[in-house]
Amino acid sequence: MIRRRRGGPGDVATRLARAEELTVADGVAAGPLALVAAVLRHHERRAGNDLIRSEATLLGAAVEANRAGARFPLLDLDAAAGPVMAELDVAVGSLLALGSTVPEALAGAGRDVVTWSGPDRRELIEAWLDDPSLVEPRLAFWTRVAATPLLERAVTGLRVPTGEEWHGGACPLCGGQAQVSVIAEESGEFLGGSPRSLVCGRCSAWWPFPRAVCAVCGEEDPRNLGSYFADDSRWVRIDACQTCHGYVKTFDLREPGGLAVVPLVDDVATLMLDIWAGEQGLARPVPSFAGV
Ligand SMILES: [Zn+2]
Ligand SMILES: [Zn+2]
C-alpha cells in the first residue's frame, strides 16, 4: 500500500520546509508561521537527543501488549509526565532566545511556568496529557512544545491501528485530539478509494476515520453535517456539525493545490477559515497551533 502521509511521525523536515515556504507566501499571516517554524526547529534538535530517544523507548515499551489487549492509547502516558517536566525548561529557553518570534503574551506565560514547583508542573502536564482542552491555551502551547518531540519519537515507526481496530476521534497512539482531517488518495490497493484520516496534534500520527461522521461528537446523520469552502480553494474546507457546533478543518489532497499541503502546517496558514467558523458560532476542539 502506498500512502503519502506528508509531515507524519518522524517527518519534521517536511513540516519545517512547508512552514518556511509559507512564511514568505502571499496572503498568509507570516507571524504565526514563523512561530511554527521556530517550534519545528526546536523539535528537530530535540528529536535527535539521546535522552529523548531512551525515554521514548520507555513510553513505547507496552505498545504490543496494549495492542493485543485492545487498550488505547497504545503509549504509556504515565511515563511521559516526568520527561516532559524537564523538557519544559528546554522548550521555553530555546524559543525565548529567539526574541520577538514569540508573541509577548505567550513569552510571559513561558517565563512564568518555568518558575513553577515540581508538583504544579506535574499537575499541568498530567492534565494536558489527559485532555488539553482543560488547560489554559498559553500553558497548553508550552506543554505541547515540550511534549511533542518525545511523543512523536515514541510513535515513529509504529503501525497505526486499522479502522476495525480503532474508530475513535482521539489518537489511538498517544490519546491526543484530532488537529485536522485529511482526504487522500490511496493507491496500490484494490478499490482503495480515498479514505479520510484524522491527524494528531501532538504525535502527528494519521489514523483512519469515516468520511461522514462528526470527528468531535460522532454524529452520523448527514442532515446535521455540512461542509463549507471557498470556491477558489477547494483543497481546504470546514466540516461542521449542527449537533455539537464543533468543526474540524479538512484538507482534500486530491483537489488542485492539495498536493503541496502539509496538514499540520497548512492548518496555521488557513487561520481565516477558523475566523469565519468562529463567526458562525462553531468551535474546534483543539485550537490551531499558532492561533493561541
Ligand atoms: Zn497522537
Ligand atoms: Zn458533532
Side-chain angles (χ1 to χ4, degrees), residues 214 217 219 241 244:
C214 171
C217 76
E219 174 64 88
C241 170
C244 69

Side-chain angles (χ1 to χ4, degrees), residues 24-111:
V24 294
D26 288 338
V28 296
L33 281 158
L35 177 59
V36 169
V39 168
L40 288 168
R41 280 185 212 106
H42 166 73
H43 189 152
E44 203 166 47
R45 283 193 298 274
R46 295 308 288 166
N49 178 274
D50 285 342
L51 193 60
I52 292 278
R53 284 167 178 260
S54 59
E55 283 160 345
T57 307
L58 292 177
L59 253 69
V63 161
E64 290 315 320
N66 286 341
R67 196 193 295 279
R71 287 185 294 273
F72 298 99
L74 297 180
L75 291 189
D76 175 10
L77 293 181
D78 289 340
V84 176
M85 280 169 70
E87 280 297 305
L88 209 46
D89 286 314
V90 185
V92 172
S94 141
L95 261 73
L96 292 193
L98 300 171
S100 61
T101 308
V102 183
E104 183 46 39
L106 268 187
R111 284 192 294 268

